[in-house]
Amino acid sequence: MKITWQMARGLPTFIKGGAFGIVDGAPVYAAGCTYPWRETEQAWVWEADREDWFPVEPSLSLGRAYTHGITLQDGLLVLGGRKSQPAGRVSLRDGWWLRRRNGGFTWTELPPMNYPRALPTIGVAGNKVLALGGGEWERSQGGAFATRHLTHYERLDLDNLAAGWQDLGPLPFPSLVGSAFASVGDSLYLFGGYACWTEANARQLCHYATAWRYEFATNQWSQLADFPAAAAGWCAVP
């Protein structure tokens, strides 16, 4: 396979840790940590006819960084993230669905997840959304997310929002942050990531080279062949 890269027009601001997806056929980047460093509520849409990025209005009601996103039907799902508050940095449980209707953008708030998750892994199949992994800000040194407490994964049915997120029990592998993930048909694929925990007030990290597939129809996990090297903080596309 040969892949060709071409430099595109950059976003109007320095930014990291946001969510990306396609809204009504247009690329959108939402939230993240923007310079001077703060957790932003702004989203940006690429207008192909004008060959530039423009602000999405209205913006999110709550800024966040280290969130994740995925294209959900004709919109962008922004799920979880980290928010700085007076008491410290906390992970979020909320989810927001950005769509464009009659030429304007609308944000729809979804039911909160059962567990706060920054940088969660997200899967989508039809009207089903899966969330797993992610973490809480590691407080002894910062700069990473503790993961070991988030052992369960959960699923939301968009046709039954009143039921909220269904806790599907423990994962068959360690909970990770920074996994690459992509949804293909009725399956979610996820690759690598890192586990983080604290021992004797010192941060411990373990990177993984594992690959897993989740089948929405059967709620089954299958382990695939490992990658040649461990990695985290990377991306996958279907």
Side-chain angles (χ1 to χ4, degrees):
M1 177 184 293
K2 183 179 180 180
I3 299 175
T4 301
W5 292 92
Q6 180 178 351
M7 178 70 75
R9 187 173 181 82
L11 287 158
T13 181
F14 295 113
I15 198 165
K16 63 178 181 178
F20 181 80
I22 305 298
V23 179
D24 192 28
V28 170
Y29 190 95
C33 201
T34 188
Y35 187 84
W37 299 123
R38 60 175 290 272
E39 294 143 338
T40 182
E41 61 282 343
Q42 186 62 61
W44 300 90
V45 59
W46 173 257
E47 298 285 358
D49 57 341
R50 295 193 281 177
E51 297 186 343
D52 207 347
W53 296 91
F54 293 89
V56 170
E57 298 297 344
S59 58
L60 274 166
S61 61
L62 182 69
R64 71 203 56 222
Y66 304 113
T67 182
H68 261 158
I70 195 169
T71 299
L72 177 59
Q73 298 177 8
D74 62 348
L76 166 64
L77 170 63
V78 178
L79 195 60
R82 188 205 72 183
K83 179 64 178 175
S84 296
Q85 298 182 350
R89 292 167 171 165
V90 299
S91 293
L92 304 173
R93 299 193 301 141
D94 59 346
W96 294 87
W97 192 6
L98 176 66
R99 289 173 288 180
R100 182 151 53 183
R101 296 289 185 269
N102 300 318
F105 289 97
T106 62
W107 291 97
T108 300
E109 186 174 7
L110 298 178
M113 295 180 289
N114 293 299
Y115 308 96
R117 301 179 189 269
L119 294 175
T121 292
I122 312 170
V124 169
N127 290 328
K128 304 293 193 300
V129 181
L130 195 76
L132 62 139
E136 289 275 3
W137 189 249
E138 198 281 308
R139 299 182 185 278
S140 69
Q141 299 178 47
F145 291 90
T147 60
R148 284 190 164 180
H149 62 293
L150 288 173
T151 58
H152 286 210
Y153 64 109
E154 50 191 314
R155 191 164 70 182
L156 178 68
D157 184 349
L158 297 176
D159 291 330
N160 188 16
L161 292 177
W165 290 82
Q166 178 187 5
D167 190 326
L168 297 177
L171 292 161
F173 51 86
S175 181
L176 303 174
V177 167
S179 301
F181 57 87
S183 294
V184 181
D186 197 41
S187 301
L188 162 68
Y189 294 82
L190 66 119
F191 315 103
Y194 72 82
C196 174
W197 65 99
T198 302
E199 289 182 7
N201 204 36
R203 186 177 66 203
Q204 308 294 322
L205 289 170
C206 179
H207 287 77
Y208 285 75
T210 50
W212 288 83
R213 179 177 62 232
Y214 174 77
E215 301 290 346
F216 276 84
T218 60
N219 187 33
Q220 295 295 316
W221 291 94
S222 302
Q223 187 168 10
L224 310 177
D226 285 359
F227 275 81
W234 52 348
C235 299
V237 294

